[in-house]
Amino acid sequence: AVVSTQRYGRTSSRWKLEVARKTRENEDIDELKQQIAELEEQLSQSKQNVEDEKIKSEERHVELEKSLRLEIASEREHHQKMLIENSNLQRQLQELQTIADLKETA
């Protein structure tokens, strides 16, 4: 009877240790699952932030492109006005030279 009580006692002790070990393992697994969930949430948020920044960047690019096109159009218009003014000044110079030549010959 003593032997069987000791055997059951040890078995009971081993069983309690096994239960405690499994409980710790389950707690560790639960903690890891929680950490995984938190990391997945952080990853999801990071992906959203990247997508938001990508959209903002594209919008800034479009605005810059519009601004540059307007500036180029303005520069072309200014250049065209300068060409017309230059042409008018050359015509006036030609007229003045013709008048000067006529005065010299007269």
Side-chain angles (χ1 to χ4, degrees):
V2 174
V3 172
S4 64
T5 303
Q6 286 178 347
R7 185 183 307 154
Y8 288 128
R10 273 184 272 177
T11 303
S12 176
S13 253
R14 285 187 197 144
W15 181 80
K16 287 178 184 176
L17 287 173
E18 185 66 18
V19 167
R21 187 179 66 76
K22 289 288 185 184
T23 301
R24 279 192 308 276
E25 285 177 1
N26 287 339
E27 289 170 352
D28 290 347
I29 289 170
D30 289 344
E31 186 178 326
L32 288 172
K33 285 180 180 178
Q34 179 63 31
Q35 289 175 356
I36 288 170
E38 290 170 4
L39 289 172
E40 286 175 339
E41 176 60 30
Q42 289 175 5
L43 177 61
S44 174
Q45 188 61 46
S46 288
K47 285 180 179 178
Q48 186 61 48
N49 290 345
V50 166
E51 193 59 34
D52 292 348
E53 281 302 314
K54 183 178 174 184
I55 290 169
K56 287 178 187 175
S57 176
E58 288 171 357
E59 289 171 350
R60 283 192 299 265
H61 177 79
V62 167
E63 288 302 315
L64 269 174
E65 193 172 342
K66 283 181 187 176
S67 175
L68 286 173
R69 286 176 191 230
L70 287 173
E71 190 174 330
I72 289 170
S74 175
E75 286 297 318
R76 282 184 181 149
E77 185 179 334
H78 178 71
H79 180 72
Q80 196 63 31
K81 286 179 181 176
M82 291 294 107
L83 287 175
I84 292 169
E85 188 176 331
N86 186 30
S87 177
N88 289 338
L89 289 173
Q90 284 180 344
R91 188 173 28 79
Q92 288 174 1
L93 178 62
Q94 190 69 35
E95 289 171 1
L96 290 173
Q97 285 177 338
T98 303
I99 292 170
D101 288 346
L102 288 174
K103 283 186 177 180
E104 266 184 29
T105 56

